[in-house]
Amino acid sequence: MPRAMQGSSWVPRQGRTVYTGTPRSSKNDCCLKVLAAIALVAIPITLFSVERQQYQLQVGLKEIESKVIEVDSKSETTFPTQDGTPVYLVSEYTGSAANNEFGLSIDHALQLQRNTQYCQWQEIATEDCDTCTNDDGSTYRCHCTTTYYYQKGWHNHLIISAFFDQPFNHDNPQRNPYPTTVFSSENTIAGEMYLEPELLLKTRGPSRVIQFLHPGQPKPSYSFWKFFGWKDDQRYESTTVLEPLLHSEAYQEHQFAYTGEEGWFFSPYEASMASSLLKKMGQFLEGSLFDWQLADFMGGCTPGDIRVRFRVVDPSEVTVVGKYSKEPTPRVGIIDNLHDSTARLGFVHAGAHSYAEVVNAESSIASNQTWLLRALTLVFGTICLTYLGALPNWISSGGASLAIIAVSSAVNFGFHLQTILFLIAAGLTFAAGSVKRDPSKAQ
């Protein structure tokens, strides 16, 4: 099996066991309180930004509502006469998306998504403590030891190993020549209209993994998974598409090669002599130079290895909302000339949809994101205040919950009626809960 497909071994490496005395949580208490205080400031600021974006979106949609012109992309007689006019169209298209570093170009595609994974060590710490008793009979955790374990596998992000207990023996090279990113098509034509790449970055639609097959090679059957209802929606391309890879930057500089397994391209890590020598010196100093374990002989990827797989967004037709321009050729791009809003509007949805369906979908997505962040603000705000010790003094009057809801909802400065209603309902609820009923007035 290629190293690109080998993940972690079944057996993790065991690192050192260190006597810490008191629980680690008590030692980190100061740092955690600082992080909690920072979170109490950062979360409302983030929420304000999201609330403002949603507000600007709604204002922008309201502004273009009466100005949008439906056009037939194949008939220039339906095109607007004035540049900057918002247009709506449904059309098939031609075009391709490419990643030049890999020499890869896929026909009939709006987006090419590059997904990168890194072979990295992950540190896992377990703590074991005794239970001690104070003079007053209360108990506390004491005589603690921490044991470190290390698991090797593929991750979607790099892991910094400098703060590991044994950083040299479990070094994570931070090579990252081709991070995860999205490439939009630069030559897509819908009927007689050119769709600008910036607009295509906003495409909403399903993506498919690309697998490359040799001429005459049958598609994988996946019969076992199909038995459970799984549908193979991958896109299959001939390996002839990969011929430019041999002359690409990815191959010439980083030795990326196609593995033939599940669409992965693989680049092995090769340490320089200087870094290998430095690592050996570090292992000697931390006492891990001769620390050989069963996990070392179980195979798997090598930390520093990289694998890349591509996905494609390639619907048969698209629904587009954007700004029309006639120079140098008829084109549709981002709407950036609004008077009442700072939003940059532009929507590309896979499939055929009415203008109302597109607007409702975008509004719903923005609203759901905002309410999700409000809920997270409420939850994490409560956790942070509790950890900082500020919450218990407020609970009896309901002030804490009301304050958190106020932060999570009022930061939009009254932009939405739903926020005002939310605050009123919350205030009445907690006010009612904090009022003590007078028994002498009971009927």
Side-chain angles (χ1 to χ4, degrees):
M1 179 183 294
R3 270 165 57 185
M5 305 311 300
Q6 296 178 9
S8 58
S9 61
W10 292 102
V11 182
R13 295 191 86 259
Q14 181 175 337
R16 294 186 293 195
T17 298
V18 181
Y19 178 79
T20 56
T22 57
R24 290 190 306 157
S25 57
S26 61
K27 296 181 179 180
N28 297 331
D29 188 64
C30 181
C31 293
L32 292 176
K33 285 186 176 180
V34 172
L35 292 176
I38 294 174
L40 282 176
V41 177
I43 293 176
I45 292 176
T46 303
L47 179 59
F48 168 72
S49 177
V50 173
E51 294 272 7
R52 183 173 179 80
Q53 289 176 10
Q54 184 188 8
Y55 170 72
Q56 295 294 341
L57 171 65
Q58 299 303 325
V59 172
L61 290 175
K62 186 68 176 178
E63 180 177 338
I64 69 172
E65 183 177 10
S66 59
K67 302 178 182 179
V68 174
I69 297 177
E70 181 176 357
V71 300
D72 181 353
S73 62
K74 297 180 180 180
S75 175
E76 294 191 16
T77 59
T78 64
F79 293 179
T81 57
Q82 184 177 358
D83 279 1
T85 302
V87 295
Y88 153 79
L89 61 100
V90 178
S91 175
E92 297 178 344
Y93 65 93
T94 60
S96 60
N99 181 191
N100 294 330
E101 291 90 348
F102 280 76
L104 181 63
S105 179
I106 302 298
D107 290 332
H108 191 74
L110 300 179
Q111 285 185 357
L112 187 63
Q113 302 171 354
R114 185 175 68 203
N115 305 116
T116 305
Q117 291 188 348
Y118 314 88
C119 183
Q120 302 275 276
W121 286 110
Q122 183 177 19
E123 183 181 72
I124 304 169
T126 60
E127 189 174 60
D128 183 38
C129 300
D130 294 335
T131 301
C132 298
T133 305
N134 290 316
D135 294 338
D136 59 1
S138 61
T139 60
Y140 64 97
R141 300 172 68 200
C142 62
H143 305 155
C144 296
T145 59
T146 301
T147 302
Y148 296 93
Y149 295 90
Y150 298 90
Q151 190 77 39
K152 180 176 59 177
W154 292 104
H155 297 269
N156 293 321
H157 56 86
L158 292 168
I159 300 175
I160 298 176
S161 57
F163 302 103
F164 286 178
D165 181 65
Q166 291 180 315
F168 288 98
N169 202 33
H170 307 94
D171 175 48
N172 282 331
Q174 299 296 291
R175 64 188 291 248
N176 189 17
Y178 305 116
T180 295
T181 190
V182 176
F183 303 94
S184 61
S185 172
E186 298 182 356
N187 58 1
T188 292
I189 304 294
E192 301 295 330
M193 282 189 171
Y194 172 68
L195 303 184
E196 295 182 352
E198 185 181 5
L199 176 64
L200 293 179
L201 283 176
K202 294 178 172 286
T203 301
R204 296 191 186 275
S207 63
R208 303 193 291 164
V209 172
I210 306 176
Q211 284 212 51
F212 302 90
L213 303 178
H214 295 287
Q217 180 182 354
K219 296 180 180 179
S221 63
Y222 298 110
S223 56
F224 176 78
W225 297 110
K226 290 180 179 179
F227 178 78
F228 295 96
W230 180 76
K231 181 181 178 181
D232 182 13
D233 62 352
Q234 299 178 102
R235 176 163 170 173
Y236 294 93
E237 293 284 341
S238 171
T239 51
T240 55
V241 176
L242 300 179
E243 290 178 358
L245 176 64
L246 294 177
H247 308 286
S248 69
E249 174 188 305
Y251 177 79
Q252 297 287 344
E253 297 185 10
H254 304 282
Q255 293 74 54
F256 270 95
Y258 183 60
T259 65
E261 297 286 343
E262 300 181 10
W264 289 107
F265 294 79
F266 177 73
S267 171
Y269 173 68
E270 296 180 3
S272 64
M273 183 177 297
S275 62
S276 298
L277 180 60
L278 180 62
K279 180 177 180 179
K280 294 297 182 183
M281 294 175 60
Q283 288 176 314
F284 175 78
L285 292 175
E286 70 183 13
S288 61
L289 182 59
F290 302 106
D291 179 19
W292 297 313
Q293 299 184 23
L294 178 62
D296 298 330
F297 305 96
M298 298 295 290
C301 59
T302 299
D305 289 348
I306 299 176
R307 66 180 185 180
V308 169
R309 184 164 64 177
F310 292 92
R311 303 181 69 94
V312 65
V313 179
D314 57 347
S316 58
E317 60 181 343
V318 291
T319 301
V320 180
V321 177
K323 182 183 71 174
Y324 171 78
S325 301
K326 58 184 176 181
E327 296 296 341
T329 58
R331 61 184 57 221
V332 182
I334 297 292
I335 302 174
D336 55 3
N337 57 345
L338 300 175
H339 299 291
D340 301 329
S341 172
T342 59
R344 293 169 55 82
L345 303 182
F347 314 118
V348 180
H349 287 209
H353 307 279
S354 67
Y355 175 74
E357 289 174 337
V358 172
V359 170
N360 290 338
E362 293 293 334
S363 299
S364 177
I365 292 172
S367 178
N368 291 340
Q369 291 175 343
T370 303
W371 278 104
L372 175 61
L373 191 54
R374 288 173 182 170
L376 292 176
T377 301
L378 179 63
V379 172
F380 285 104
T382 303
I383 294 174
C384 291
L385 286 173
T386 301
Y387 188 79
L388 291 172
L391 189 59
N393 296 329
W394 301 356
I395 288 179
S396 59
S397 63
S401 299
L402 181 58
I404 296 170
I405 292 177
V407 169
S408 66
S409 301
V411 291
N412 59 1
F413 297 120
F415 287 152
H416 303 293
L417 177 61
Q418 62 187 16
T419 301
I420 299 175
L421 297 176
F422 190 73
L423 284 172
I424 293 176
L428 293 175
T429 300
F430 287 103
S434 61
V435 173
K436 303 292 185 179
R437 186 177 183 182
D438 189 349
S440 62
K441 296 182 180 181
Q443 299 298 325

